[in-house]
């Protein structure tokens, strides 16, 4: 099924808030993922036979996400049945994270956000009922913020935190790859309850090759090395996990001011999805695809313990069709 989403550009989000010496506060108010690691490297027309990949070309298009206020939503759809999940989203104010949260809301899946600046939640997602969206104040870089109360009732976690590969304003406040991609992931995973059904971690292609060109250039300040360290900590935690390694991120959101604006993204003609294993893919991927892959992986049992790379290519894609995503993930594992 094809993506038909349309996005307006996200302003750069403010970085760390103060260190919080107390347990995280529950706030009843209601990066872009910045790691463009493959900039300048484009997906070739043919993919190496050593790569384990699958491509989904759907037969027809489908509207994946609609604005809650659209006519078609009001006239032709009803809210889906409430889910028993409670998904903790970490990094929900970044590009991929915003799409994850918006998609969970449209699916009527209860979400909990951990944000350094909780007030961003209202500007990004509008005023939401606390039964659907809970907002907690905290920072994964500070272990004291990860109080056990934060995880009460949480069944799944999607972690899509990140920072830039090279020094930038995003590094202000000690928001470096080491602190965010390694220490933050380590602190989060160390705090998760053993009862968790799945953690999905967004990482990056190239993490196993950070000493090789061109990856060594992208890793000049350690971003790939620290992402791999985060991956390894997740893999050795004993928790059920899925790791998603996107290529260079494309498409919005770049700016969003409410949920309706956020849900107007489009992947253009590049809606077909390439899924691989073995860290062989080189190319680009829409943030829309990454967010959808994270959500789909929560419910596909055989993705547990697996690592997948993602690219977007021209053609029709799986949209939010669970069966097509199952086929993509399964095909990547058997090739």
């Amino acid at each position: 099924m094809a993506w038909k989403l349309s996005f307006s550009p996200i302003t750069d989000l403010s970085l760390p808030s103060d260190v919080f010496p107390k347990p995280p506060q529950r706030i009843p108010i209601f990066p872009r993922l910045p790691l463009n690691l493959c900039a300048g490297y484009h997906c070739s027309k043919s993919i190496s036979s050593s790569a384990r990949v699958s491509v989904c070309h759907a037969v027809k298009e489908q509207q994946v996400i609609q604005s809650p206020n659209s006519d078609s939503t009001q006239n032709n759809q009803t809210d889906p049945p409430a889910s028993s999940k409670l998904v903790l989203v970490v990094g929900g104010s970044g590009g991929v994270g915003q799409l994850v949260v918006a998609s969970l809301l449209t699916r009527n899946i209860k979400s909990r956000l951990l944000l350094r600046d909780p007030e961003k939640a209202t500007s990004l997602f509008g005023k939401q009922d606390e039964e659907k969206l809970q907002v907690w104040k905290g920072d994964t870089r500070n272990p004291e913020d990860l109080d056990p109360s934060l995880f009460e009732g949480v069944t799944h976690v999607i972690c899509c935190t990140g920072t830039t590969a090279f020094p930038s304003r995003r590094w202000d406040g000690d928001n470096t790859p080491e602190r965010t991609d390694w220490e933050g992931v380590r602190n989060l995973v160390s705090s998760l309850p053993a009862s968790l059904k799945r953690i999905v971690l967004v990482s990056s292609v190239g993490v196993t090759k950070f000493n090789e060109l061109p990856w060594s250039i992208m890793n000049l300040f350690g971003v790939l090395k620290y992402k791999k360290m985060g991956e390894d900590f997740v893999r050795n935690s004993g928790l059920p996990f899925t790791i998603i390694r996107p290529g260079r991120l494309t498409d919005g959101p770049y700016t969003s001011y409410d949920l309706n604006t956020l849900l107007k993204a489009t992947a253009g003609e590049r809606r077909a999805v390439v899924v691989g294993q073995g860290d062989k893919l080189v190319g680009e991927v829409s943030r829309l695809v990454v967010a959808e892959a994270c959500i789909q992986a929560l419910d596909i049992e055989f993705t547990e313990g697996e690592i997948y790379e993602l690219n977007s290519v021209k053609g029709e894609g799986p949209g939010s069709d669970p069966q097509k995503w199952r086929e993509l993930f399964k095909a990547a594992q058997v090739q």
Side-chain angles (χ1 to χ4, degrees):
M1 300 293 184
W3 294 85
K4 276 228 168 174
L5 301 161
S6 170
F7 264 86
S8 301
I10 292 184
T11 54
D12 283 340
L13 306 168
S14 62
L15 290 170
S17 50
D18 295 332
V19 174
F20 311 108
K22 299 180 180 179
Q25 306 170 39
R26 191 171 178 176
I27 312 292
I29 57 173
F30 283 143
R32 64 195 178 201
L33 185 68
L35 181 61
N36 291 333
L37 294 177
C38 304
Y41 300 95
H42 302 286
C43 184
S44 61
K45 294 182 179 179
S46 61
I47 300 175
S48 168
S49 59
S50 62
R52 300 166 64 184
V53 301
S54 57
V55 186
C56 177
H57 295 278
V59 175
K60 61 180 180 179
E61 298 183 359
Q62 167 181 304
Q63 187 74 21
V64 179
I65 304 176
Q66 293 182 328
S67 165
N69 296 327
S70 67
D71 292 339
S72 58
T73 301
Q74 293 176 346
N75 298 332
N76 300 324
Q77 296 184 2
T78 57
D79 288 339
S83 168
S84 59
K85 296 187 188 72
L86 173 54
V87 181
L88 173 66
V89 181
V90 186
S93 61
V96 171
Q98 289 184 51
L99 290 166
V100 167
V101 175
S103 295
L104 291 171
L105 288 171
T106 63
R107 285 167 159 91
N108 205 23
I109 297 175
K110 190 173 182 179
S111 308
R112 181 175 294 168
L113 305 187
L114 180 67
L115 295 177
R116 299 172 187 173
D117 179 6
E119 293 187 1
K120 287 181 180 176
T122 301
S123 62
L124 292 173
F125 310 113
K127 195 167 183 65
Q128 299 290 331
D129 191 312
E130 193 179 352
E131 289 302 309
K132 292 186 65 177
L133 186 64
Q134 303 170 354
V135 184
W136 294 62
K137 184 177 182 178
D139 187 335
T140 57
R141 299 172 304 169
N142 303 324
E144 60 269 26
D145 287 0
L146 303 174
D147 187 86
S149 61
L150 169 65
F151 307 105
E152 289 180 2
V154 170
T155 58
H156 301 77
V157 174
I158 298 176
C159 179
C160 37
T161 54
T163 187
T164 53
F166 298 95
S168 70
R169 291 179 60 188
R170 293 290 302 274
W171 283 27
D172 291 352
D174 203 20
N175 193 47
T176 62
E178 181 177 9
R179 295 282 281 130
T180 301
D181 294 310
W182 161 232
E183 294 181 19
V185 171
R186 180 192 63 195
N187 294 338
L188 172 66
V189 174
S190 298
S191 303
L192 294 175
S195 59
L196 193 72
K197 294 182 178 180
R198 187 74 61 91
I199 174 174
V200 177
L201 174 69
V202 178
S203 181
S204 172
V205 298
V207 293
T208 67
K209 302 179 290 188
F210 58 80
N211 287 323
E212 306 171 17
L213 286 171
W215 309 106
S216 57
I217 298 174
M218 299 299 160
N219 191 55
L220 284 175
F221 295 89
V223 67
L224 291 177
K225 179 184 75 173
Y226 292 124
K227 281 188 174 291
K228 183 60 165 60
M229 290 171 64
E231 281 192 13
D232 290 343
F233 197 84
V234 170
R235 294 174 62 190
N236 295 326
S237 67
L239 295 171
F241 72 87
T242 304
I243 294 173
I244 302 294
R245 293 173 176 168
R248 189 177 75 86
L249 294 164
T250 64
D251 298 326
Y254 305 109
T255 300
S256 61
Y257 303 100
D258 56 43
L259 187 59
N260 294 339
T261 301
L262 186 62
L263 295 178
K264 294 177 182 177
T266 178
E269 296 182 348
R270 301 179 62 192
R271 291 169 292 200
V273 180
V274 180
V275 180
Q277 290 191 309
D279 206 5
K280 301 294 196 304
L281 294 186
V282 178
E284 301 176 338
V285 63
S286 169
R287 287 178 173 85
L288 298 162
V289 168
V290 181
E292 186 64 31
C294 291
I295 294 174
Q296 294 287 343
L298 297 178
D299 292 321
I300 301 178
E301 65 286 349
F302 62 78
T303 63
E304 180 180 331
E306 298 288 340
I307 302 175
Y308 301 97
E309 291 89 44
L310 297 180
N311 276 358
S312 295
V313 293
K314 187 175 181 179
E316 303 303 331
S320 58
D321 186 330
Q323 183 56 39
K324 291 195 175 294
W325 278 99
R326 291 180 68 90
E327 293 169 359
L328 280 167
F329 286 129
K330 178 61 73 175
Q333 291 178 208
V334 301
Q335 291 185 20

